Amino acid sequence: MTEEEAAFHAAAKNLPDPRPRPEEELKILEEVWRQPTGWRLPTAVNNNIVGSAYVGAALLFFVLAGCLALLMRSQLATPMAEIVGQETYNQLFTMHGTVMMFLFAVPAVEAMGVLLLPQMLAARDLPFPRLSAFAFWAYLVGGLVFFTTIFFGASPDGGWFMYPPLTSYVYSPGSNADWWLLGIGFIEISAIAGAIEIVVGVLKTRSPGMSLDKLPLFGWAMLVFAGMIIVGFPAIILGTILLELERAFHWPFFVAEKGGDPLLWQHLFWFFGHPEVYIIFIPAAGFMSMIVPVVARARLVGYRLVVAALVATGFISFGLWVHHMFTTGLPPISTGFFSAASMAVSIPAGIQVFAWIATIMAGERARWNVPTLFTVGFLIIFTMGGLTGVMVAMVPFDWQAHDTYFVVAHLHYVLIGGMVFPLFAAIYYWVPMVSRFALSERLGKWVFWLMFTGMHLTFLPMHWTGFAGMPRRVYTYLPNMGFDGFNLLSSIGAFTIGAGVALFVFDMARKFRMTQEENAGNVYGGGTLEWLPNGSYAARSIPIVKSREPLWDNPELGDQVEQGQWFLPGAPTHRRETIVTSPLKAIPQYLVIIPGPSWWHVIAAAFTAALFLSLTVKLTLPAALFGVIAIGAMLRWAWELDKGPDHEPVDVGGGLKLPVYMLGNRSHAIWAVWVLIVVIGMIFACMVFSYLYLWSVQPDRWPPAGTTLPSPLHTGTTLLLLAASGGLLTVADWMLTRARGKAIVLTPFLGALMFLILAIAGDIWQWSATGLRPGESSYGASVFTLGFLNSLNLFTVALMVLFVTARLLVGRTDPVRRLSFDTTRLLWLYTIGQTAVSVVFAHGFPRLVS
Amino acid sequence: MSGKGLPPVLDTAGPQADPIATLSWVLIVGGGVILLIILVALGIALFGGAWRRKFAGERMVIIGGILFPVVTLTGLLTYGLGLTAGLVGTEDADPVRIHVTGEQWWWRVEYLEPARFTSANEIVIPVGRPALIDLASDNVIHSFWVPELAGKLDMIPGKTNRIRLLAEEPGVYFGACAEYCGGPHALMLFRVRALPPADYARWVRRESGSAMPPSESLAAEGAALFQTLGCGGCHQVRGTRSRGLAGPDLTHVASRLHLGAGILPNNKGTLGGWVANPQRLKPGVKMPAYSALSARELRALVTYMDGLE
């Protein structure tokens, strides 16, 4: 047993502590966690407010994208209709898919995570509240501007999958496609930020004693969700970088004549795009695993199996992407493999469906409230979508069904059944946690039945129209093809769903009144920690968790928590804090000081948005200005962090003393940098994959005839420069640890940066000197993109170095208070490693295969 | 398959599509049965008496969620893999060979064997003899789909895919572009006509030859107009000075069933409407409108083209 564990167990014996708490303690706690009001409201960072606003924004985009769908269904209600016209229709279906996937589905589940996770884990807040607030603002501003393009006819029209060559500069010369890349850029930023937040939040800020086998299933789901974002999103990040490089600078990645391949985009897109479906579904499955036990009033049957199923889904989902490409003419050996994997992924889904059914079977007679209805609706619709999913996983069947209305039907059964219905169940179930009133049960039943019947009316006939030969993404169809009536039915159904959603919006407007202290409470009788009595500081005190449904097992827990009988009943440092625990057993490690309200991350988000927007309309000069302001605001925001051990270790209750500052691998900040490194590493790995893929398609043109490679001498020089950079960085680290003077730390520190710049810029210069040009061949474009990715890392590291230098000079970084230095050092070492791999690869691979 | 009222995917007409129709039925019925089982289980869970609890447990999850799908899916996978191999592995002794290019938004059809000649938007094949069709594109991605005869296959720049069509009965089979290719993708259709061998041979003889010279004075006037208006800049009419390749070959346009890439029946009325204002019939089409033509000029032009059998 470690020292930390021993201290925790000793303290646990003294808790709950029934002695009354000092009177001013609660006042201080409330004061510290007071939410900004009035014009300062945008500065709020607390997860209750940001989470609720985030869910609200996602629902707004759901309604907006739904309106686009209604326009589409009006156009398709009758053959050869001229209601919206071809150009508008092509924009409508592109925007419907893009907005639903990127601005509704992913943000919605992420938002629910922001809102629910701290409460469920009895943490006071997320570990990086300003980061999630930043993600929210960037998403809201960027998303709204992106959406308004539909009113100017400037929306992207290449489909949400954006296949080049159609979307590249020749066939989409306008800025429409750039808007898509912009919209995706925002969701990439906010998804990655959210994933970092969620991984660190779930692994490091759980309630003491909540070992991983007691983690609520929603927590597991969000952990898998975040892991999948970290692995999957880099592919689309790289894809969008490559497509924008091709569009803006004509670097040919997808142009066959120059050694590229349009299929490279499809690989990158679907390596992200298929897991994306599970990124959306897994949190929704998490909702269901939380709600089903409450509906049934029984513990979930097969908790461990369901956890295994979630994790397995995460893994298998990365082996399926090619099933979107069965009709591209791939050899049967590879389609066979992906067909098998596509079927295999239905096994974890089956495990969960049967676990939910078994739980309902094990429980009391189900109560027919609105969450129950949406849960049952989910089970039916999702099962149907799953079965058609197995159908399209069969390669020959997919040859017929692919890109027809059959697939439109399938994907809407899976996504509406697998995500929208669980989300509605979740909203009805959890609204009482943050609102003064619960939503209306009477109206809610109407909402359900309208959506449920509308769903089948819309999408059931589409299976048939697909069989009848109607391709997807068509703005109209000829009469008498055998699908006129079915299309009309689908359109009527779409408006039925619309009526249900409208009624829901009406009820939200009527009943939703944001509050923590006076919330409607646990109306459905849940057993997990989010139903503890709550303030804006979350639970008054943080209990030791001994089971999966603590509230069911200890009916007095709520009162004990409210009277401050458990850990951290106040705000001992007079600042926002929460307990950081160990990742597996949740043993308390230290008390983290959490940042409070601020304008800086809001400004950073607004100007990040402005930067992207002005780049999209090619206003380079304003873009540069906005970029500088955004970076300035980010640095100013970071300036306040890393406060050092400015407070004595604190007694958090039961005699447990925790430090308020932590370095090394226990630190939540170091964890966050590691997550970021995985993301950057995946982007790099995807680029190496792209390079190798293009080589494998046209090996005789890789490199193109006449290319000279940089000499081995150059390779060696670059590697030496990298080694020198790493060596000097280690010297600086060593000097800082030994508390040497500023100049003695700074000289090797800045010297190390010089070497890094020389190595990365020098490598690009060497390639340039061989006469290779990125615009002339895919090979050249790939080589320079490797250099470009290294430069991006260099840029980040250089900013951080200047930042740490400033902190060193004013004494904000010293031998003890040095998290800023350590995080910079970590990213730096990674950059050296990535650059070394990239140099050896780019210089060595052509020699290896020639 | 001969069922009436069934959609093309289930009512197929050749060996490349028939096994998929059978597979579809297996999947539909099998899926239906599984759905029913799950609905019954859910119904018992929701409405059953207290006796239902003795089924509730991890055993149910393991049997329903792991064992049952593993067995069923293994069976299905074996069936699917065998089927895939059978559908792509066929070697033919004496196939007809055709090269089809996806254009924005029509189909360039080049017959290679038994004779070399060009056509557009309609593919004629002999009944009972396999046609090997090379599918290509030099612009954006398209997808070639004739549901009654085969599954679809993409046309991707930089890559040539090959599809095998074999019709067992004479007939006209509907085809469409299935991959979104921008603009009027919805109106990029075509037909496959399967002719009995003797008719096919006659068709090849006529179709591979040059265009018929105009037979009446109005048509001759139309032929002259065709030249002066510059139609030949985009369209080819073999045997005349019109050698354009940007648009569909019109050498035997009157022998085709449809106009505008499979969207309009081919007759004088639609032909005139198309020439006068193709944008109205197919918004986004690259052909300019000839709305300034006088009624007589239009009639002459249409009479000429309607004679290009």
Side-chain angles (χ1 to χ4, degrees), chain A residues 699-824:
Chain A
D700 47 324
R701 296 175 67 161
W702 204 268
T707 307
T708 46
L709 299 171
S711 74
L713 186 69
H714 279 134
T715 318
T717 314
T718 310
L719 292 178
L720 272 179
L721 286 169
L722 288 172
S725 179
L728 278 184
L729 176 60
T730 311
V731 172
D733 182 23
W734 199 61
M735 292 299 169
L736 181 64
T737 313
R738 272 153 194 74
R740 298 300 153 91
K742 286 171 188 167
I744 298 178
V745 177
L746 278 176
T747 311
F749 192 55
L750 294 172
L753 179 64
M754 281 309 298
F755 281 121
L756 190 66
I757 294 172
L758 285 176
I760 292 174
D763 186 53
I764 296 171
W765 177 80
Q766 286 166 33
W767 280 104
S768 196
T770 64
L772 190 70
R773 294 291 172 267
E776 285 166 12
S777 65
S778 300
Y779 174 79
S782 303
V783 167
F784 281 100
T785 305
L786 285 169
F788 173 66
L789 293 181
N790 294 334
S791 310
L792 283 180
N793 285 357
L794 171 65
F795 179 71
T796 316
V797 169
L799 274 179
M800 289 169 79
V801 167
L802 295 179
F803 177 75
V804 172
T805 303
R807 288 181 72 98
L808 270 161
L809 287 174
V810 301
R812 277 180 172 247
T813 290
D814 58 39
V816 194
R817 183 186 181 187
R818 53 172 293 171
L819 211 44
S820 311
F821 183 92
D822 291 348
T823 47
T824 306

Side-chain angles (χ1 to χ4, degrees), chain A residues 262-263 352 429 488 517 577 702 764 786 796:
Chain A
L263 287 182
Q352 293 180 81
Y429 178 70
L488 185 59
E517 291 77 5
E577 311 133 337
W702 204 268
I764 296 171
L786 285 169
T796 316

Side-chain angles (χ1 to χ4, degrees), chain A residues 648-712:
Chain A
E648 290 300 303
V650 174
D651 185 342
V652 293
L656 182 65
K657 273 197 185 297
L658 294 180
V660 299
Y661 191 66
M662 185 63 73
L663 295 168
N665 287 337
R666 285 191 165 88
S667 160
H668 66 298
I670 297 290
W671 277 66
V673 176
W674 274 114
V675 177
L676 187 64
I677 285 175
V678 176
V679 172
I680 303 174
M682 275 303 298
I683 296 176
F684 177 70
C686 288
M687 187 57 222
V688 172
F689 163 82
S690 303
Y691 180 106
L692 292 173
Y693 175 81
L694 291 176
W695 161 73
S696 75
V697 174
Q698 300 193 40
D700 47 324
R701 296 175 67 161
W702 204 268
T707 307
T708 46
L709 299 171
S711 74

Side-chain angles (χ1 to χ4, degrees), chain B residues 94 125-131 164-170 194-197:
Chain B
D94 181 27
I125 57 171
V127 170
R129 191 168 147 200
R164 180 177 186 267
L165 295 188
L166 176 51
E168 279 167 342
E169 288 159 42
L195 301 177

Side-chain angles (χ1 to χ4, degrees), chain A residues 162-172 243 246-247 254-257 261-263 265-266, chain B residues 104 137-142 155-158:
Chain A
M162 290 288 283
Y163 282 2
L166 182 60
T167 54
S168 194
Y169 59 95
V170 179
Y171 297 98
S172 297
L243 185 54
E246 178 169 307
R247 287 183 54 80
F254 312 113
V255 181
E257 306 91 80
D261 187 0
L263 287 182
W265 168 266
Q266 298 190 17
Chain B
Q104 276 183 318
S137 165
D138 58 2
N139 45 87
V140 303
I141 303 174
H142 304 274
M155 313 167 108
I156 303 167

